[in-house]
Amino acid sequence: EMRDRHAQHYLALAEEAEPALLASQRPTPWLDRLESEHDNLRVALDWLDASGKRELALRLAGAASPFWHVTGQLTEGRRRLENALRGSVAPTSIRAKALTSAASMAVTSGDNVAGRMMAGEALELHRTFRDPSSTATVLHILGLAAGNEDDFAAAKPLFEESARLFRELGDQHGSMNAVRSLAWMYSGLG
């Protein structure tokens, strides 16, 4: 019971911190807090996995993913996400979110093949759940994977659709990233 309560506490903490970490381009108090609680997050993930609480493990890994990304702990973050994804295969929005995070970490780490595979599944789920913001994010990740392999012709429509969706949503940060990637793509095309 104590381990369950511990895991629930750290799931709530990670889910509360997640929006602040996603919105900020600089260190926040949440970053320091999660850094000091990182071992507890690990213990909670291990417990949820060992006790068969796969959906909760997936939620916690997904909520902690901005922390791992911002702090550059991509190897651990990706490993934790992929482990949670193996344990919970139901086509849910939680799975789509975790796939998106794992794909981003894979592409950022240079594993474009795995990144494309996870992003492809995430894209289908985000479109099924009619989540345009996450769809735009995944399209951007797919464009980055193509661009990393110098396939700028394949990257172009992905970046263009991503930029369009972000603009329609009024997401200036997402739009800026997609437009910056479009500039990179145009440079690659000469």
Side-chain angles (χ1 to χ4, degrees), residues 85 88-100 118-131 134-135 138:
L85 285 162
S88 182
V89 297
T92 64
S93 59
I94 294 167
R95 179 174 179 76
K97 175 180 157 185
L99 282 163
T100 301
M118 290 183 282
E121 182 182 346
L123 182 60
E124 288 180 34
L125 291 172
H126 289 310
R127 284 185 169 158
T128 297
F129 295 120
R130 291 182 165 78
D131 182 347
S134 297
T135 298
V138 172

Side-chain angles (χ1 to χ4, degrees), residues 12-34:
L13 178 72
E15 288 181 336
E16 186 178 354
E18 182 182 17
L21 292 175
L22 288 171
S24 179
Q25 297 305 303
R26 58 188 175 281
T28 69
W30 280 112
L31 193 59
D32 293 336
R33 174 94 186 266
L34 291 183

Side-chain angles (χ1 to χ4, degrees), residues 119-186:
E121 182 182 346
L123 182 60
E124 288 180 34
L125 291 172
H126 289 310
R127 284 185 169 158
T128 297
F129 295 120
R130 291 182 165 78
D131 182 347
S133 178
S134 297
T135 298
T137 299
V138 172
L139 288 165
H140 189 251
I141 293 166
L142 287 165
L144 291 172
N148 287 345
E149 295 177 341
D150 296 328
D151 189 354
F152 293 107
K156 183 179 182 212
L158 297 165
F159 288 144
E160 287 174 341
E161 186 178 356
S162 175
R164 180 185 59 76
L165 287 170
F166 280 129
R167 270 193 310 275
E168 288 173 0
L169 292 165
D171 183 336
Q172 292 179 344
H173 180 73
S175 181
M176 179 208 52
N177 279 335
V179 169
R180 183 179 61 210
S181 294
L182 271 169
W184 168 58
M185 181 270 312
Y186 280 117

